[in-house]
Amino acid sequence: MTNKVTAFAPATCGNVCVGYDILGLCYSGAGDKVTVQKIAKPEVIIESIEGEDSLSCDPKKNTAGIVLLELIKEQKLSFGFSISIEKGISLGSGMGGSAASAVAALLAANSFLETPLSKSTLLEYSLKGEELASGHAHADNVAPCLYGGLVLLSNGEVVELPFPKFIQILLIHPHLTVNTKDARKVLKSEIKMKDYVKQSENLAGFITGLYKNDPGLIKKSFEDVLVEPLRSKLTKGFSHCQELAKAEGVLGYALSGSGPSQIALCESHEQADNINKIVTSYYESEGIKVDTFIGSINSEGAKLL
Ligand code: HSE
């Protein structure tokens, strides 16, 4: 057994427009890396954090740290971990950064266990990190991060959904910050029956469209009538960019998680390129930097390096 193990965990999109807290998708491209070393005492030491200045090195206040403390406690480990974190995903970007650090830490630490734990057990531990980050143990970032692909959280089960190969994903990350905790506070605790019916129609239509490989049904169904109307104003330019993308015939355009990042589902690489140019030029004209990435879905998820 080597002394140090590094894991990479990718960025993810929570909600995927129509599935608040129950749908999540794994992006190709950006991600966090965590290197874990076994230490004698059953404790967690955060040695270093690169790429993000505002994160705490107190393991109880860091998603990678808190999930390892939970692992040590629950598994009654006699040893602990020293970790180094390389953040590739900015905080408050809507790309599942807190989930990625937690998942990478757990996956790497799992290699030091006599009997490594299953993904579903790692998923349970990773939820501790989400609770710390957003005040709520939603699994729609940690699950796609661990399993890859597009997943549905269904009564405690992770259901892997099909994702048509022709769909190109455009990820847009304007350099703005939206804190998920705050973005959850703007939501209402009660919804109107007519909105419930519409959202159910859209969720069912979207999932059916995926199974049937039907771009028309996917496009018709990719609309969030519950959460997006309350959150869109938190991300400058989102509604405008969504309109611009729709005018180009995009399959779907939504906030990634609680924003400010945005996801566009495109019918071709050419369409993704075109929408990328349009949205990027809008943000640049507003003096806001933007990173974008075009790619297929990441069906692999987190991995050891
Ligand atoms: N489901 C979560 C939310 C995702 O929308 O608050 C956050 O990435």
Side-chain angles (χ1 to χ4, degrees):
M1 177 81 219
T2 55
N3 191 22
K4 278 185 184 177
V5 175
T6 302
F8 170 81
T12 49
C13 172
N15 306 333
V16 198
C17 185
V18 285
Y20 178 67
D21 279 357
I22 60 165
L23 278 184
L25 173 154
C26 190
Y27 290 119
S28 301
D32 288 356
K33 277 186 204 166
V34 178
T35 299
V36 175
Q37 200 166 2
K38 187 173 166 180
I39 55 173
K41 273 194 184 170
E43 63 183 6
V44 176
I45 298 169
I46 300 182
E47 289 284 353
S48 64
I49 303 174
E50 269 174 46
E52 187 65 67
D53 297 333
S54 55
L55 275 176
S56 175
C57 280
D58 175 349
K60 290 198 194 86
K61 295 184 183 157
N62 181 296
T63 63
I66 203 162
V67 297
L68 295 188
L69 287 173
E70 186 71 3
L71 177 74
I72 293 169
K73 188 178 93 192
E74 289 296 315
Q75 295 295 315
K76 301 182 177 56
L77 300 181
S78 59
F79 57 90
F81 306 101
S82 136
I83 65 176
S84 306
I85 304 168
E86 284 172 63
K87 290 294 294 175
I89 308 171
S90 321
L91 277 187
S93 65
M95 292 159 64
S98 54
S101 294
V103 166
L106 280 168
L107 198 66
N110 199 30
S111 321
F112 293 101
L113 269 55
E114 217 164 287
T115 313
L117 301 168
S118 66
K119 277 189 186 174
S120 60
T121 308
L122 294 180
L123 181 68
E124 279 170 37
Y125 292 138
S126 66
L127 289 174
K128 268 274 164 204
E130 292 302 69
E131 216 174 316
L132 174 73
S134 74
H136 191 272
H138 58 89
D140 52 332
N141 290 109
V142 284
C145 187
L146 256 173
Y147 287 77
L150 172 66
V151 300
L152 166 73
L153 287 321
S154 170
N155 298 304
E157 295 277 312
V158 177
V159 181
E160 298 180 56
L161 297 176
F163 194 78
K165 285 208 167 49
F166 71 87
I167 300 181
Q168 290 293 303
I169 298 169
L170 165 62
L171 166 63
I172 297 144
H173 169 220
H175 289 206
L176 302 165
T177 305
V178 173
N179 187 316
T180 300
K181 222 179 221 170
D182 299 335
R184 295 182 80 88
K185 286 188 192 142
V186 304
L187 304 180
K188 294 184 184 145
S189 56
E190 286 176 7
I191 56 167
K192 288 194 182 121
M193 180 60 89
K194 77 169 180 28
D195 292 339
Y196 162 76
V197 172
K198 185 66 191 156
Q199 192 86 352
S200 305
E201 194 181 7
N202 287 345
L203 176 60
F206 177 56
I207 294 177
T208 308
L210 297 172
Y211 274 99
K212 291 176 82 169
N213 230 336
D214 180 342
L217 191 51
I218 292 172
K219 194 170 180 170
K220 242 193 265 173
S221 312
F222 209 76
E223 186 201 5
D224 171 9
V225 298
L226 290 183
V227 176
E228 187 188 291
L230 299 168
R231 281 182 169 174
S232 54
K233 55 187 174 297
L234 303 180
T235 297
K236 182 179 164 62
F238 165 69
S239 301
H240 179 61
C241 292
Q242 188 183 47
E243 264 173 40
L244 295 174
K246 279 186 178 168
E248 294 302 317
V250 72
L251 269 185
Y253 196 97
L255 290 169
S256 178
S258 55
S261 289
Q262 294 152 47
I263 182 171
L265 302 185
C266 303
E267 279 191 82
S268 63
H269 201 281
E270 200 187 350
Q271 186 181 57
D273 246 352
N274 187 30
I275 294 172
N276 185 9
K277 282 192 192 112
I278 293 170
V279 172
T280 300
S281 96
Y282 161 75
Y283 275 113
E284 284 177 354
S285 73
E286 292 292 321
I288 297 166
K289 271 192 168 175
V290 52
D291 303 321
T292 61
F293 185 83
I294 298 173
S296 312
I297 197 165
N298 175 348
S299 46
E300 194 182 16
K303 59 182 180 191
L304 293 175
L305 296 178

